Amino acid sequence: MRFTIERIRTLVLVCGVLLVLALGVFLTVGRFKSPFSRRDIPKRLGIDIEQEANGVTYTQAHGGHTLFKIHASKVVQLKNEHALLHDVQIELYGADGRGVDHITGDEFEYDQKAGTATAAGPVEITLMRPGVPPAITAKQKPSGKAENHPALPAAQTAPSGEIYVKTSGLSFDEKSGMVTTAQRVDFSMTQGSGSSIGASYDSHQGFLVLDRNVELTTHSAREGGRSSAPVEIHAGHAEFYRDTNLCILRAATAEYRGDHATAANAQVLFRDDGSAVRLEAAGGFILATATGGSLAAPVGSMDFDEHNQPTHGHLEGGVTMDSVSGPRTAHGTSPTMELEFSPRGLLRHAHLERGVEMHSEETRQSTTNGQRIPVRTNRTWRSPVADIDFRSVGQNKVEPAVIHGVGGVVITGITQRGDANPSPSSLSADEVTGEFGAGSALTAMIGVGHASMEQTSATGTHDTANGNRLEAHFAPAEAGAASGAKTASSIGPGAAQVQSAVLDGNVVLVQQPAAKPGAPPQPEMRATAGHAVFEATGEWLHLTENPRVEDGGLQLSANKMDLSQSSGDAFAHGGVKGTWINQASGRNTAPTGQRPDSGMNLGGQGPAHVIANEAQLHQATGEATFRGNARLWWQQVNSIAAPVIVLDRQKQTLVAHTANAADPVIAVLVSAGGKPGGTEAKPSSPSVIRVHGGDLWYSDVERKAIMQAGILGTVTAETGNATSSSNTVELQLTPAASHATGQAQVEQMTATGHVMVSSQGRRGTGEQLVYTGSDSKYRLTGTPAALPKMTDPERGSVTGEALIFDSRDDSVSIEGGAQETRTETTAPKPN
């Protein structure tokens, strides 16, 4: 709502005019009372009377100064102690002989017995305000016949300070000191003109009453002495107390340039010079503007300086504020409101407390893909206390510059684009400061202490952000509507859209994906950091200062993280560290109410850890991609290292690959141990298998890993007793229930394609090599055209359909047809 000084001073202007009028009437009646209180006027008209051809003049002086002059064209003594004076003109002077007032009438009747004087016909009065030079000096002589002075518009005819009054049926009671009339009273002056029906004045008590239908049209002066638009004031009743300078108005209304103010009961206290000191309104005060704004309260008061400029205002009993500005409507409530004004009378500050609520609604058109779509926004501000600072925008108008709320501020809103689902949002903090730009548009907002932002998108994704301090900058609603831009939040008065936001200190962000029909609910993503920056373009959230993300079973930290609020994806940069927790052991680490994430068992139980230079988490696919020196390990000894590692929690797969032969994919897995083969056999224990290659694929469902040669050309596998090279290596893990410890172990390793194996000086070639962890045996086979072959430096070479090497006793068995030959190939010890 825009405020003007004219709106605030409207009720005061009429009271100022009434004050001036009351002072004039008081002076006039006080002087008018003296000559007519003498019962023997008809008998003494001959004393000190100068008989003129055109009438009779009576003059009374004191101390060398003329007090008054009464001129009548004719005086008639009636029976019953009545006297008639015709064509009467009365001039009254001040104690110093200056300050002439005039009273004229066609006929006055004086009742000596009753002590009353009555003018049945019209009476015109010209009053001089105290301290203003007179229009007619004491030396001027009136004409023989009283001239008629109609109450013309004062702005055109009245010298500065003169007041013209015109009425009829005027009576004066010298015993009670009452001057009354039941007829219309018209008055005019430099400031304006007005009227009432019926008036009375108690000269003893100094009490003036305008009975009913009080009307006043006046002007307030602009700077430079120019007159502003007229102010029309109406009141059902008006009273003025001379001794206390108090004016009372009942059922008062004022109109100025389409603005409308009403007060059921108003009291105005004046200074002796006529300027207002204080205005008090009760029984309901309403100010409605031509632009659709209104301010109302059951009780209100206003203090003024000596120039009638407001300095302080107070409203209570339930203040309401309403405004309409283009497509935007606003409504506010507060039990109380304090107003402070500048020396020029412009509103400077408003203080609201004891429960403040401000609500706005707006509908604008947005262009999306060439189509015009309505965008509806609702915003509500709630706080125990709110302070608003205003700034001048010229032409005696102001607009809000800053709003400040304390004690816990909550701003809620709902945005709806076309027929899409509504998107609720909220912003809250212990203390909130908002800054406004041109046109009362919100440009920035700062929340301190338990700051929080929350929103649910049209697709159902729910986002929350918390921190110690929140600073948000807003784009004008017009810009957002014109571009059709979608932002993560449109919080705040004016339906402005968040352009950027910064969260500092103990930042916590939570995103809950929308539920999909027929699908189980997805796990929420939770992020923490010391500093967070939101950018509306692309809806990105940047986290720094020890950021950490928890996405289902994955816990991730890095130097910096970028989160996409539109897709839910997360990107980590520098010093990435992650932990993937699964629930294979039956332990649920998910928060209460959240679906336990199945995670990646990786063939066993317990958490998996990962480090990398960068990481990407894709919310829709459930993939986590780690790049740059990525290394994944679990159960202490099992690990995978590669330039790129991709974990897919939906498919329960792992993919690792490299594009640089100097930086291969390396998988290190524990092999299952078997039973001893004899009394002289070596004890069997789990060993470690190391596999180097170009591309690795693993399925947790199939419990199988396949290493391809890729850019390296060959896959190298190392066990405790042998090293092999081949085109591919397949690792089959033991069933999940086969080990009580839940440890991931390789049950069988199969190398295929151009196999070469070496162990303790032996060298074998073939097409396929199978290693079984349960018995620690290697089985080398070939093709019908190329049988497997093993060469020993001491015993020579052997071949067959299959060559079996037992690592427990270092023996080699040859299979061929239906026969099986066992050959001891261990070199004899020297004598």
Side-chain angles (χ1 to χ4, degrees), residues 234-239 248-253 263-266:
H234 307 269
H237 184 80
E239 301 175 0
I248 297 176
L249 297 174
R250 296 175 184 171
T253 64
N265 297 288

Side-chain angles (χ1 to χ4, degrees), residues 572-589:
H573 310 277
V576 176
K577 297 179 181 179
T579 298
W580 202 315
I581 302 175
N582 63 67
Q583 280 71 46
S585 61
R587 180 173 57 89
N588 182 5
T589 60

Side-chain angles (χ1 to χ4, degrees), residues 671-693:
S671 173
K675 298 180 180 180
T679 57
E680 297 181 358
K682 298 178 181 179
S684 178
S685 61
S687 61
V688 174
I689 297 177
R690 293 178 175 87
V691 183
H692 297 226

Side-chain angles (χ1 to χ4, degrees), residues 106-409:
D106 292 338
E107 183 178 86
F108 283 82
E109 179 179 349
Y110 178 64
D111 187 339
Q112 295 173 298
K113 185 176 181 180
T116 60
T118 303
V123 176
E124 296 179 2
I125 307 171
T126 301
L127 306 176
M128 288 298 301
R129 291 172 55 188
V132 178
I136 302 177
T137 65
K139 294 181 180 181
Q140 291 178 301
K141 294 182 180 182
S143 60
K145 182 176 177 60
E147 297 181 0
N148 193 16
H149 295 277
L152 299 176
Q156 302 176 8
T157 62
S160 177
E162 289 191 357
I163 303 174
Y164 289 125
V165 180
K166 183 178 181 179
T167 186
S168 60
L170 185 70
S171 65
F172 172 68
D173 190 328
E174 65 179 33
K175 295 179 181 179
S176 63
M178 292 294 299
V179 179
T180 60
T181 179
Q183 304 302 314
R184 178 184 176 92
V185 178
D186 294 289
F187 51 88
S188 62
M189 64 207 74
T190 303
Q191 294 87 349
S193 60
S195 64
S196 70
I197 303 299
S200 64
Y201 179 75
D202 188 336
S203 61
H204 294 163
Q205 302 295 327
F207 179 48
L208 171 68
V209 176
L210 299 179
D211 290 338
R212 64 189 186 279
N213 297 342
V214 181
E215 298 182 0
L216 174 66
T217 300
T218 184
H219 296 75
S220 60
R222 290 180 178 175
E223 293 184 2
R226 295 177 298 170
S227 179
S228 68
V231 179
E232 297 183 1
I233 302 170
H234 307 269
H237 184 80
E239 301 175 0
F240 178 76
Y241 295 84
R242 179 193 63 193
D243 295 339
T244 59
N245 285 350
L246 179 65
C247 180
I248 297 176
L249 297 174
R250 296 175 184 171
T253 64
E255 296 182 0
Y256 173 78
R257 287 184 174 177
D259 298 343
H260 186 80
T262 62
N265 297 288
Q267 296 185 6
V268 185
L269 179 65
F270 293 92
R271 298 178 179 88
D272 291 336
D273 62 0
S275 61
V277 177
R278 183 177 178 85
L279 164 68
E280 294 183 354
F285 168 78
I286 301 174
L287 173 63
T289 68
T291 58
S294 66
L295 176 68
V299 179
S301 65
M302 193 83 70
D303 296 327
F304 300 86
D305 62 15
E306 60 276 9
H307 303 294
N308 279 338
Q309 300 284 18
T311 60
H312 176 79
H314 173 77
L315 300 174
E316 65 177 33
V319 183
T320 60
M321 301 157 283
D322 294 275
S323 67
V324 178
S325 178
R328 182 187 310 157
T329 62
H331 174 74
T333 61
S334 175
T336 64
M337 175 184 287
E338 301 290 333
L339 304 174
E340 299 294 338
F341 299 86
S342 69
R344 294 178 52 199
L346 296 178
L347 182 62
R348 180 174 58 187
H349 182 80
H351 176 78
L352 302 87
E353 62 178 31
R354 296 190 302 189
V356 182
E357 181 171 321
M358 290 177 282
H359 179 78
S360 67
E361 297 183 5
E362 181 175 6
T363 299
R364 293 186 180 272
Q365 295 295 321
S366 172
T367 302
T368 303
N369 297 327
Q371 296 183 350
R372 301 283 288 175
I373 298 176
V375 179
R376 292 172 289 273
T377 55
N378 298 330
R379 298 287 174 262
T380 302
W381 166 298
R382 294 183 179 90
S383 65
V385 178
D387 288 273
I388 306 175
D389 293 329
F390 295 85
R391 60 169 170 262
S392 174
V393 293
Q395 299 182 347
N396 285 339
K397 295 180 180 180
V398 298
E399 65 181 10
V402 177
I403 183 172
H404 182 71
V406 297
V409 181

Side-chain angles (χ1 to χ4, degrees), residues 37 94 98 104 137 167 229 361 377 379 386 425 450 647 779 798:
S37 64
R98 303 179 60 185
T104 61
T137 65
T167 186
E361 297 183 5
T377 55
R379 298 287 174 262
S425 59
H450 302 94
L647 298 171
R779 180 183 177 85
V798 293

